[in-house]
Amino acid sequence: MKGTQVVENNLQDQEELSFEDFRGIIINDYKIAYESRQASLLGRKEVLTGKAKFGIFGDGKEVAQLAMAKAFKAGDWRSGYYRDQTFMLAAGMLTMPEFFAQLYANTDIDADPASGGRQMNCHFATRTLDEDGDWMDLTAQKNSSADISPTGGQMGRLVGLALASKMFRNNPALKDLKKFSVAGNEVAFGTIGNASTSEGIFFEAINAAGVLQVPMAISIWDDAYGISVPAEYQTTKQDISEILKGFQRDEVGEGYEIFKVRGWDYPGLCETYERAIKICREKHIPVMIHVTEMTQPQGHSTSGSHERYKDKSRIDWENEYDCMLQMRKWMIESAVASDEELLELENTAKTYIRNCQKQAWADFNAEMRKELDLAASLIEKTGNDSLIADARALAASTEPSRKDVISLVRLAARKLNSVQSEAKDNLLNWYKEQHDSNYDRYNSKLFTGSADSPFNVPVVKAEYAAEARKVDGREILNACFEANFTRDERVVAFGEDVGAIGDVNQGFAGLQAKFGKLRISDTGIREMTIIGQGIGLAMRGLRPIAEIQYLDYVLYALNILSDDLATLSYRTKGRQKAPLIVRTRGHRLEGIWHSGSPMGVIINSLRGVHVCVPRNMTQAAGMYNTLLRGDEPALVIECLNGYRLKEELPSNPGEFTVPLGKVEILREGTDLTLVSYGSTLRIAQEAAEELEGMGISTEIVDIQTFLPFDLEHRCVQSLRKTNKLLVVGEDVPGGSSAFIMQQILEVQNGYQFLDGKPRTLTAKPHRPPYGSDGDYFTKPSLDDIIEIVYEMMNDSNPERFPGLY
């Protein structure tokens, strides 16, 4: 029959299959899907009985994912969301023991290779780095970028994963990077729920991929709801592919190939995915597969039941058109399998899933039980009856947690505080050992920390000719970028106005003409996707510089930076990386949206990203040289008012490096330590000159990077000498200045060297109004710095420094 022939053509891969071979493939598909469904059902029970904390599963999406997996090849990439368990199983990127290990949050990276227990269940990832943090051969394996929970957040990186294939295909200089691509033949597969297509990042990414014409295949799982909210509240016309028809490529211009297929139609799905991915892979045309008439049998998650928001007619329809029942029915009608055969397969599958679950639970508890038994035995030897009773009660519990064990030992430390005994010492020594182990389990790998870390990049000083030219700061950046693009073919740059005009401040001036539009390119106004594009490219071995035109507009991409880039190393326990450099400019100019300095927002949102605040373009160039030789992500914020200020041009503009996390003392002083960053430092230096004439010696410290902050603790060394601290920044009160203060006084223990109140000088709690007067009255000025320093000296020695007003 026609449907069978379609599937057969899809499965035989240009070779003739016997009916028995064809039949065996379909039965195996059904087996995978049925096991996945049983895992979803059992997983929900495990949550409801308390063994797991939360459950979100892929039931109702199984059959479409079988078809997608058939088209997924070695070297391909997935950027999906948490409904894709059947696809991961069918593609061989997930095993059933791993599925349950993640559900239980097993911290053994071999048990849960996706995250080592850090990610919620059904958040998938494959390893792209070996244990040393070096790239694996990504063309020899199937790849899944690490999932995030925000349901549209995967779309940004998807564009970059697809764009990498275009770059590998069209840039012959990349042909030797054999671990990353085979002539750009890889497809980036994305998945998203129908409700999440309402998110802005979806429309940004869809538009970007259409403009770029990249091999991106987006599958939309449409079950007509977003948690409890039906499609009528989500999507115009309640049909995402209907409203995106304008993206269909035609004689007017390039665009997408758009397909629509029902989620319970196994032969139709197989045919659709074969056709769609063939176009995508061979012609680098983006495709969209809208999979409709899907169901979600258990509702959104274990936090609620779908009977609360679906009426009887909808539930009756879902029961009839459950994709598993429809596939089973089709198999029997097509003589692929009999009811008896399928019953036997289903019974075997149920037993297999139950055994996998039991073994995963046993493995999860084994290490925990070992720790508990050892802790209990050490507590027994203390002789404290109360603690012994607590330990025995915990040992008798059926589901002890590591938290319970460690909390009991910490209680013991408090109760035994005044006791001197070998038993107590042994218990506390064990606790210290566990502290290190638990740090590795729960806190490690915020950065990869590999041999290629920027901290391992040698420090190379800037060199200057005897008669070094003084040039605009932008020219130093331009020379730096040109040298790095020449040195490393992997380096690419993109952003609004980056290509044709070389960015609005001319850092890339003339470089597109030299290196081509593929490597230095303009983008549309789509900050989230610019960042996502950079993440995807970096995950595929390239070295992207993604430009956001102004620091104020970084906020439009903060969700992608924070949720995805900053957490990537941590959420995969160091098994994926994206060494993206985000370039922007900010601090001093005029106007509400071109002079912001929201550093507090940034440094508190981007732990996992290096945050650099160079005071001039020479320092910025040195930081780029360091970062482009390292393998960790960074945000570099250049001084907006510094591009036309004169600086000496180094003779090694692409070679000298500025180390991260090392402050620079710009001026020696003895009376007061002034700590600042970026553009404000020039004002502080001017103020220090006048203060010197007033008898005040000011030491000025440039922090250079917020993350990491002053690794050598030179700030507190300065404070030890001066005993007074002033932090100056352009953020709002309590923003970046509070962070700097906390680092110096608490982390570096600087509080003990103060002889007066530490002070901060910040911008006002609103954004600067337009005009030079607006800047003067809202941000730290020369007069402000002089007066607050003088006031601090007046506080300690009013006779020598009488009040100004």
Side-chain angles (χ1 to χ4, degrees):
M1 63 182 71
K2 184 177 180 181
T4 302
Q5 186 61 44
V6 166
V7 182
E8 187 170 4
N9 289 340
N10 177 261
L11 300 177
Q12 62 190 4
D13 197 22
Q14 308 303 319
E15 296 180 7
E16 290 298 323
L17 285 174
S18 69
F19 179 75
E20 281 305 309
D21 290 337
F22 162 69
R23 176 176 173 272
I25 290 170
I26 298 175
I27 290 174
N28 188 62
D29 275 356
Y30 181 76
K31 173 177 174 289
I32 293 169
Y34 192 84
E35 288 174 350
S36 181
R37 175 63 65 88
Q38 294 305 307
S40 295
L41 296 171
L42 184 53
R44 184 180 181 90
K45 291 179 181 176
E46 291 299 279
V47 174
L48 297 179
T49 58
K51 289 182 179 178
K53 297 298 291 184
F54 181 80
I56 196 157
F57 305 101
D59 44 305
K61 317 295 187 290
E62 292 91 351
V63 175
Q65 292 178 23
L66 294 173
M68 187 170 79
K70 291 181 184 301
F72 197 88
K73 308 297 182 185
D76 286 347
W77 280 82
R78 167 189 171 273
S79 182
Y81 86 129
Y82 46 70
R83 299 296 184 196
D84 292 348
Q85 71 193 49
T86 306
F87 168 79
M88 293 294 293
L89 291 164
M93 294 189 284
L94 174 72
T95 68
M96 203 56 76
E98 291 168 353
F99 172 88
F100 283 106
Q102 189 180 57
L103 181 66
Y104 298 134
N106 192 322
T107 58
D108 184 343
I109 193 68
D110 292 323
D112 171 23
S115 70
R118 295 178 178 186
Q119 286 260 61
M120 193 180 292
N121 79 298
C122 284
H123 287 61
F124 305 114
T126 54
R127 297 180 183 181
T128 61
L129 308 176
D130 63 21
E131 292 181 356
D132 297 321
D134 296 325
W135 290 108
M136 300 168 68
D137 185 350
L138 305 183
T139 68
Q141 64 183 39
K142 297 175 180 179
N143 304 289
S144 175
S145 59
D147 290 345
I148 57 177
S149 287
T151 55
Q154 70 275 17
M155 291 296 300
R157 111 173 71 96
L158 176 62
V159 174
L161 292 170
L163 180 58
S165 289
K166 182 174 182 176
M167 290 186 169
F168 282 117
R169 178 172 288 186
N170 293 286
N171 184 356
L174 298 175
K175 66 180 185 303
D176 293 332
L177 296 176
K178 298 186 183 302
K179 285 186 175 182
F180 301 103
S181 180
V182 179
N185 292 329
E186 304 80 22
V187 172
F189 288 70
T191 62
I192 191 168
N194 60 291
S196 295
T197 63
S198 302
E199 299 227 28
I201 182 62
F202 173 80
F203 286 94
E204 270 197 26
I206 289 295
N207 185 49
V211 169
L212 294 167
Q213 287 294 283
V214 291
M216 182 178 106
I218 179 68
S219 296
I220 300 165
W221 308 143
D222 191 345
D223 60 22
Y225 284 83
I227 307 184
S228 67
V229 181
E232 63 188 281
Y233 297 104
Q234 304 279 2
T235 310
T236 302
K237 299 183 179 180
Q238 302 181 42
D239 190 322
I240 189 65
S241 60
E242 180 68 23
I243 66 172
L244 295 180
K245 279 183 176 179
F247 282 88
Q248 175 66 49
R249 67 191 186 111
D250 53 26
E251 66 279 358
V252 176
E254 294 290 353
Y256 278 73
E257 285 292 345
I258 301 176
F259 300 83
K260 197 169 188 177
V261 61
R262 294 172 300 193
W264 48 265
D265 181 2
Y266 177 77
L269 286 158
C270 291
E271 177 189 20
T272 298
Y273 273 95
E274 180 189 28
R275 287 175 53 210
I277 303 306
K278 181 178 176 64
I279 293 169
C280 193
R281 192 182 303 280
E282 294 178 0
K283 298 182 179 181
H284 276 198
I285 293 169
V287 299
M288 183 185 307
I289 303 105
H290 182 194
V291 185
T292 64
E293 299 190 22
M294 285 186 145
T295 66
Q296 201 153 282
Q298 298 186 99
H300 174 261
S301 67
T302 52
S303 62
S305 170
H306 66 155
E307 286 87 359
R308 293 164 55 199
Y309 53 85
K310 292 177 184 174
D311 61 28
K312 183 177 184 302
S313 63
R314 174 68 192 189
I315 292 176
D316 289 344
W317 181 88
E318 290 196 8
N319 289 336
E320 180 179 357
Y321 281 90
D322 185 300
C323 63
M324 295 300 301
L325 295 178
Q326 289 293 320
M327 182 177 179
R328 192 183 197 280
K329 178 181 176 182
W330 172 82
M331 290 170 69
I332 293 172
E333 290 177 351
S334 302
V336 171
S338 66
D339 181 62
E340 291 75 17
E341 287 177 293
L342 294 179
L343 281 173
E344 183 178 356
L345 178 153
E346 290 160 359
N347 288 331
T348 301
K350 289 177 182 178
T351 301
Y352 169 69
I353 296 304
R354 174 58 78 178
N355 289 339
C356 287
Q357 175 268 317
K358 288 180 178 178
Q359 187 60 54
W361 180 246
D363 292 343
F364 171 69
N365 275 297
E367 188 67 23
M368 207 89 67
R369 179 60 64 177
K370 187 190 303 182
E371 293 172 24
L372 172 56
D373 290 345
L374 184 52
S377 68
L378 291 170
I379 288 173
E380 288 274 355
K381 294 174 182 176
T382 67
N384 185 293
D385 292 338
S386 173
L387 291 172
I388 291 171
D390 290 341
R392 289 176 179 175
L394 184 57
S397 65
T398 56
E399 297 172 8
S401 69
R402 184 168 282 121
K403 174 184 74 73
D404 295 332
V405 177
I406 295 301
S407 183
L408 177 59
V409 174
R410 295 173 76 175
L411 173 64
R414 297 193 295 272
K415 286 192 172 183
L416 299 173
N417 187 39
S418 60
V419 175
Q420 299 296 322
S421 71
E422 183 180 357
K424 172 193 168 184
D425 292 342
N426 290 338
L427 179 63
L428 297 185
N429 287 336
W430 179 83
Y431 169 71
K432 292 172 185 176
E433 293 173 3
Q434 290 302 112
H435 183 273
D436 293 340
S437 297
N438 287 327
Y439 180 88
D440 177 69
R441 290 182 179 112
Y442 302 107
N443 308 116
S444 63
K445 295 296 183 181
L446 185 61
F447 292 94
T448 56
S450 72
D452 293 323
S453 164
F455 296 114
N456 296 327
V457 174
V459 177
V460 177
K461 296 293 185 181
E463 298 173 358
Y464 295 92
E467 299 295 329
R469 288 191 300 131
K470 281 206 166 186
V471 299
D472 288 350
R474 62 186 174 82
E475 296 180 64
I476 295 174
L477 280 179
N478 190 269
C480 163
F481 290 139
E482 181 174 4
N484 279 290
F485 271 75
T486 302
R487 176 183 63 85
D488 190 346
E489 283 286 343
R490 299 174 302 162
V491 180
V492 297
F494 48 89
E496 300 162 25
D497 300 304
V498 167
I501 68 170
D503 86 49
V504 292
N505 296 103
Q506 301 292 281
F508 285 103
L511 299 187
Q512 187 184 74
K514 182 168 185 176
F515 296 104
K517 292 183 178 180
L518 196 63
R519 293 188 66 193
I520 300 178
S521 58
D522 290 312
T523 69
I525 301 174
R526 43 178 180 258
E527 284 84 5
M528 286 188 287
T529 305
I530 289 171
I531 297 301
Q533 182 174 315
I535 295 171
L537 290 171
M539 293 187 79
R540 293 198 59 186
L542 298 174
R543 296 309 314 269
I545 301 171
E547 178 169 312
I548 302 296
Q549 202 162 87
Y550 295 104
L551 179 57
D552 304 79
Y553 302 147
V554 168
L555 300 184
Y556 284 83
L558 191 62
N559 51 347
I560 305 301
L561 286 164
S562 182
D563 292 337
D564 201 350
L565 182 64
T567 66
L568 179 61
S569 177
Y570 174 78
R571 73 180 190 267
T572 62
K573 203 174 183 183
R575 294 307 175 91
Q576 289 190 358
K577 64 182 176 183
L580 167 64
I581 298 173
V582 180
R583 178 189 181 219
T584 190
R585 52 194 65 84
H587 307 314
R588 293 247 165 193
L589 196 63
E590 295 171 351
I592 291 176
W593 289 285
H594 293 82
S595 58
S597 187
M599 299 309 303
V601 172
I602 287 168
I603 59 183
N604 288 306
S605 301
L606 299 187
R607 304 302 170 96
V609 175
H610 300 302
V611 177
C612 306
V613 281
R615 67 182 179 273
N616 57 36
M617 301 310 154
T618 301
Q619 296 304 101
M623 291 174 183
Y624 285 122
N625 290 333
T626 298
L627 294 166
L628 285 167
R629 288 165 172 79
D631 71 345
E632 294 172 351
L635 171 66
V636 181
I637 304 165
E638 299 164 13
C639 294
L640 190 49
N641 61 354
Y643 293 105
R644 297 190 182 278
L645 297 180
K646 299 298 183 182
E647 301 179 38
E648 287 190 345
L649 177 64
S651 56
N652 58 341
E655 300 300 324
F656 77 93
T657 59
V658 171
L660 307 184
K662 293 192 177 183
V663 308
E664 187 170 346
I665 307 298
L666 301 185
R667 182 187 179 99
E668 298 278 350
T670 57
D671 290 328
L672 179 143
T673 296
L674 187 156
V675 181
S676 190
Y677 59 90
S679 297
T680 306
L681 286 161
R682 284 195 291 274
I683 303 170
Q685 288 175 298
E686 292 176 28
E689 292 291 332
E690 184 172 335
L691 287 164
E692 191 73 34
M694 300 171 75
I696 301 171
S697 176
T698 307
E699 183 146 298
I700 299 177
V701 182
D702 177 6
I703 66 169
Q704 302 212 90
T705 61
F706 274 102
L707 303 175
F709 184 87
D710 188 12
L711 298 175
E712 297 175 338
H713 288 195
R714 294 189 67 192
C715 287
V716 77
Q717 292 172 27
S718 173
L719 185 57
R720 185 195 299 264
K721 175 174 58 173
T722 69
N723 308 120
K724 293 179 177 60
L725 176 64
L726 171 63
V727 177
V728 183
E730 297 184 354
D731 199 359
V732 297
S736 61
S737 58
F739 171 80
I740 294 172
M741 193 77 79
Q742 182 263 344
Q743 290 288 307
I744 298 173
L745 299 186
E746 181 180 342
V747 176
Q748 299 183 11
N749 292 318
Y751 69 92
Q752 59 189 314
F753 302 114
L754 293 170
D755 64 6
K757 182 173 71 172
R759 299 288 297 275
T760 63
L761 176 60
T762 70
K764 295 297 187 288
H766 52 75
R767 299 190 184 194
Y770 180 61
S772 298
D773 287 345
D775 186 73
Y776 177 82
F777 286 104
T778 57
K779 286 191 172 184
S781 68
L782 173 72
D783 299 318
D784 293 331
I785 293 175
I786 291 171
E787 290 182 4
I788 194 171
V789 170
Y790 189 89
E791 183 181 327
M792 292 174 71
M793 299 304 296
N794 167 261
D795 286 343
S796 63
N797 192 343
E799 292 184 1
R800 183 180 174 191
F801 301 101
L804 292 173
Y805 298 106

